[in-house]
Amino acid sequence: MSTPSTVPPPSRGAESLALLLLVGGLIGVIFPVTKIAQAAGVPPLPWAFSMMLGAGVILAGLARFKRQPMPLTGRYLRYFAVSGLLSMALPNVVLFFVMPWLGAGLSAVVYTLPPILTLLMAVAVRIETPDRGRVAGILLGFVGALMIVGPRGSLPSPDLAGWMALAFVMPLSVAAGNVYRTMAWPPGGQPVALAAGTMLGGAGWVLLALLGTGAVAELPALGLAPGLALLQIAVTALTYVLYFRLQVVAGPVYLSQIGYVATSVGLGTGTLLFGERYSPWVWGGAAVIVLGVLLVSFGRRFAR
């Protein structure tokens, strides 16, 4: 399926770059805020649910104010359900579960992989064309990932390898969501309305998880960090207004580079705020992945 005609051709102008830096930076803020909330005793599922539901309600109100309709037709509901699962529920729930074990910085490192995985998926469904530079970037990205999870002391403890493996569900899900949103963008769909629907769709999936695990009883624990919960909701709502605008103006592969910015913020806050320490292999692996991202992003230019 081709990109819907309602989504303009991708551009790489100043707006795209500004949005990339803003969205990546805001997502990077999620890591330290989440870690502080967990330290206060807030469980993962209630935290994820409050974030998505609160941000979804704000975005739905904004969409109504901007007269952007949210039709509840089958096509739109399917879009909200699938994009909510891939882009919101699955990566965020996994993040909240692995962060107590891996820390804010190491959890953020895997967010360098969505650009490479997004390109692979985009090529597979024929909305992107590969070239030598981008293929080199893909290979470098996987080398960097192997450096981070390899046996050379890159993890704080070998016992964390399983948690790191689980963390790689995040970039896979984010990449799949990037491609799906572009391919399935409903005709006439507006960014704020689709962001609201995606957020509420994600909240619906997390609610099912709360009901299925009996964790609904943990919702009052949000009262342990009410200010942080409100901050997270506000940051998330702002992030996804800009996120869907970036999807429109730049396309899925360019958008996926927000992981590079988010990782930089995550590693920085992990080091400066929480005193987290990472081996040279983590920093080296992150640098190799960044080089792979640059080749993925500018591969056509390098191949000329």
Side-chain angles (χ1 to χ4, degrees):
M1 185 185 301
S2 60
T3 302
S5 59
T6 50
V7 181
S11 67
R12 303 292 187 271
E15 181 185 7
S16 297
L17 179 59
L19 287 169
L20 182 75
L21 296 174
L22 280 170
V23 174
L26 288 169
I27 289 177
V29 170
I30 289 175
F31 300 109
V33 173
T34 296
K35 181 162 184 175
I36 294 170
Q38 290 183 336
V42 181
L45 287 178
W47 182 256
F49 178 70
S50 67
M51 177 189 78
M52 294 176 204
L53 179 62
V57 170
I58 291 173
L59 291 173
L62 180 60
R64 185 176 179 84
F65 175 78
K66 294 172 68 70
R67 300 183 184 277
Q68 294 189 9
M70 287 179 57
L72 299 181
T73 62
R75 181 164 186 170
Y76 274 81
L77 290 174
R78 182 170 61 251
Y79 184 94
F80 296 154
V82 177
S83 63
L85 175 64
L86 295 175
S87 302
M88 292 304 306
L90 188 56
N92 280 290
V93 168
V94 170
L95 170 66
F96 301 153
F97 273 106
V98 302
M99 189 176 294
W101 301 94
L102 299 180
L106 202 53
S107 299
V109 166
V110 295
Y111 266 87
T112 56
L113 286 176
I116 294 161
L117 297 173
T118 300
L119 177 62
L120 279 173
M121 295 179 187
V123 168
V125 298
R126 299 181 180 179
I127 61 175
E128 286 278 344
T129 303
D131 55 61
R132 287 177 296 175
R134 289 189 160 194
V135 169
I138 290 169
L139 295 175
L140 274 177
F142 280 112
V143 168
L146 291 175
M147 289 175 65
I148 292 170
V149 299
R152 298 298 300 273
S154 58
L155 292 175
S157 167
D159 296 338
L160 298 180
W163 289 106
M164 195 67 193
L166 177 61
F168 276 88
V169 171
M170 292 188 287
L172 282 168
S173 184
V174 168
N178 291 340
V179 173
Y180 173 80
R181 289 193 313 275
T182 296
M183 293 184 65
W185 193 284
Q190 298 297 311
V192 175
L194 295 182
T198 294
M199 198 68 63
L200 292 172
W205 286 109
V206 178
L207 178 60
L208 289 177
L210 283 166
L211 294 171
T213 61
V216 173
E218 297 177 342
L219 283 172
L222 289 166
L224 296 172
L228 286 175
L230 292 175
L231 174 62
Q232 185 84 321
I233 288 169
V235 168
T236 302
L238 175 60
T239 298
Y240 282 88
V241 168
L242 301 176
Y243 186 97
F244 272 73
R245 175 61 185 170
L246 180 59
Q247 175 99 32
V248 169
V249 301
V253 174
Y254 190 92
L255 171 141
S256 67
Q257 293 177 100
I258 57 177
Y260 168 44
V261 183
T263 296
S264 300
V265 175
L267 283 172
T269 55
T271 301
L272 298 176
L273 297 182
F274 304 117
E276 297 174 0
R277 296 293 180 264
Y278 317 105
S279 81
W281 280 88
V282 169
W283 293 106
V288 170
I289 291 174
V290 167
L291 180 57
V293 168
L294 293 175
L295 285 174
V296 165
S297 304
F298 306 107
R300 290 191 178 94
R301 184 179 302 174
F302 293 158
R304 289 173 183 170

